[in-house]
Amino acid sequence: MSINIKILFALTLIHFTGDFYTAFISPLFPVFVERLDLSLTQVGIIAGTMRLLAFIIQPTVGYLADRHQTRSFIFAGLALTIIFIPLSGIAPNFWVLLLCVALGSIGSSMFHPSVTGMVPLYAGSKAGFSMSVFNTGGTLAFGLGPLFITWYVAFFGLTAMPITMVGGLLVLLFIWRMLPRPQSEGLKRNGFLEALKESLGSAWKYIAMIWLVMFMRALVGQSFLTFMPVLYVQEGFSVVSAGAIYSLFTVSGTISGLLSGHISDRIGFKPVFIFTYFLMAPALWLLLQLGGNWIYFGAALAGGFVLAPLPLGVTMAQTLAPKGRSMVASLMMGFAYGLGGAITPVIGKLADTFAIRPVLTVVAFLPLLALPIIALFPRTRSNG
């Protein structure tokens, strides 16, 4: 079966649009801190809520998506994100800001499992590369979104954010006619736990190990993405410059993600995992040692290693457990990402106590703990 470029484009566009709006929040933390007098603990709570909702909702939506052939999760979820994230710009206090971010995050959690589960159906024999292209939609959005919103807020002001929802709503109308209904994976008669057991089958031990490794990556990546803009604004960078640093961190992941997906199709997942996790820690440490304009280079290098394994975890899990594509996608992208990010309030509290830089320095070395687990991974490549 050949790659269906039209459908993959639609899926990638959905991924890009949703993550583009989701990417507005973190680079604006310095602005929210100043305007609403937020503490770093409150920043951590907002960031943690974004990820925690992914942890709570994505596996449930993944289960429902495997049971029902409907586009409702995709379009309703995308609409929530497009509408409520821009409304955060007019939030008068911490609690309203938290509510807007929470509703937008729920929307993000709703569309991710369904669209990710559809990718292998239209990928032909290039599942790893196709998932990397799809993932590029998200990582590119997380790169361009901060550049756009920091420029936009600097020029028009925070209260003008609701106007940005117009572009997303136009995209929503555009993809309405392009996207087919998701295909059910035959789990309709099972309850949640039974569906989970059938989805994972005998590969559940390997799925658990992949999840743990992806959880560590999420914890490290989300800690840096949340507090890196605040750190550099504290140290004299403008909000726009901090947004550029954030963008370089994520945009480099579009390149490294495509490369890792292509290489994994050829040599398998395990060697790529070992290479990226081994170099992730020194790259993050180097970023924290650099100063001046060298920070931009360090952000690109570190982000490349942090984001390179992102499509691999999903594709490897779907390869080992093909009966529940949406379910395992939600476990890798939602459960791991969400739980890793849910610890962000703890990182924020530590940063309030010890300052951001020393806390991130410790976090930078966590990827090394994943290497013994990766050593136990099976040697496998994507199906095709």
Side-chain angles (χ1 to χ4, degrees):
M1 183 179 70
S2 60
I3 295 177
N4 189 321
I5 296 177
K6 179 181 177 181
I7 303 302
L8 286 176
F9 171 77
L11 295 172
T12 303
L13 181 60
I14 293 170
H15 197 193
F16 173 86
T17 304
D19 285 356
F20 183 79
Y21 282 90
T22 303
F24 286 4
I25 299 300
S26 289
L28 291 180
F29 276 141
V31 183
F32 288 127
V33 166
E34 181 180 356
R35 183 185 177 198
L36 302 178
D37 195 27
L38 303 180
S39 68
L40 292 178
T41 302
Q42 288 176 312
V43 170
I45 290 172
I46 296 171
T49 298
M50 293 170 63
R51 283 70 172 190
L52 182 62
L53 287 172
F55 151 52
I56 293 173
I57 294 172
Q58 275 211 36
T60 304
V61 175
Y63 162 68
L64 294 173
D66 284 341
R67 287 169 60 93
H68 303 289
Q69 298 179 4
T70 177
R71 303 189 303 171
S72 300
F73 300 117
I74 298 173
F75 289 104
L78 190 58
L80 282 173
T81 302
I82 291 170
I83 292 170
F84 282 98
I85 294 297
L87 287 177
S88 65
I90 56 175
N93 55 52
F94 165 74
W95 294 107
V96 176
L97 174 61
L98 184 63
L99 177 63
C100 289
V101 172
L103 290 172
S105 300
I106 288 172
S108 178
S109 300
M110 287 176 63
F111 72 78
H112 270 98
S114 294
V115 293
T116 308
M118 292 173 70
V119 172
L121 298 177
Y122 304 97
S125 62
K126 299 295 183 181
F129 182 72
S130 295
M131 185 62 73
S132 296
V133 172
F134 170 78
N135 183 69
T136 294
T139 52
L140 186 61
F142 274 105
L144 297 181
L147 282 177
F148 167 76
I149 200 59
T150 51
W151 167 82
Y152 183 88
V153 168
F155 195 84
F156 296 105
L158 198 61
T159 55
M161 275 183 66
I163 299 174
T164 64
M165 71 176 68
V166 174
L169 293 174
L170 291 175
V171 171
L172 195 64
L173 291 174
F174 173 73
I175 61 177
W176 180 264
R177 300 179 64 181
M178 293 183 62
L179 195 70
R181 288 195 306 170
Q183 296 183 23
S184 172
E185 295 167 9
L187 304 176
K188 288 187 177 182
R189 292 174 294 179
N190 295 336
F192 181 83
L193 293 178
E194 289 78 10
L196 181 62
K197 182 178 179 181
E198 184 178 344
S199 297
L200 304 185
S202 60
W204 71 269
K205 291 182 180 179
Y206 289 130
I207 301 297
M209 287 191 289
I210 298 170
W211 179 87
L212 185 56
V213 167
M214 297 303 287
F215 162 72
M216 291 183 185
R217 189 216 66 81
L219 172 59
V220 172
Q222 295 309 315
S223 295
F224 270 80
L225 288 173
T226 298
F227 296 106
M228 189 168 57
V230 181
L231 170 66
Y232 289 122
V233 169
Q234 285 181 351
E235 295 184 349
F237 284 82
S238 69
V239 173
V240 175
S241 296
I245 294 169
Y246 185 105
S247 294
L248 282 169
F249 191 96
T250 52
V251 167
S252 64
T254 65
I255 301 172
S256 64
L258 287 171
L259 189 60
S260 67
H262 176 69
I263 295 174
S264 69
D265 281 336
R266 293 177 173 270
I267 67 174
F269 301 106
K270 186 174 180 177
V272 185
F273 267 112
I274 291 174
F275 178 78
T276 54
Y277 275 76
F278 180 74
L279 292 179
M280 198 181 297
L284 289 167
W285 177 84
L286 178 63
L287 167 61
L288 293 171
Q289 307 310 307
L290 295 173
N293 290 333
W294 283 102
I295 290 175
Y296 297 101
F297 166 77
L301 182 67
F305 283 109
V306 170
L307 296 173
L310 186 56
L312 301 184
V314 178
T315 311
M316 186 176 185
Q318 289 178 330
T319 300
L320 294 172
K323 293 191 67 176
R325 298 181 306 272
S326 297
M327 178 70 79
V328 296
S330 70
L331 290 174
M332 296 302 137
M333 296 187 72
F335 197 18
Y337 177 89
L339 191 56
I343 300 177
T344 310
V346 178
I347 304 299
K349 182 63 177 178
L350 291 171
D352 272 333
T353 304
F354 301 104
I356 299 175
R357 184 174 290 275
V359 171
L360 289 183
T361 300
V362 174
V363 170
F365 288 95
L366 293 181
L368 297 178
L369 299 178
L371 290 174
I373 303 172
I374 296 173
L376 300 175
F377 280 7
R379 290 191 172 274
T380 183
R381 292 188 290 178
S382 61
N383 294 324

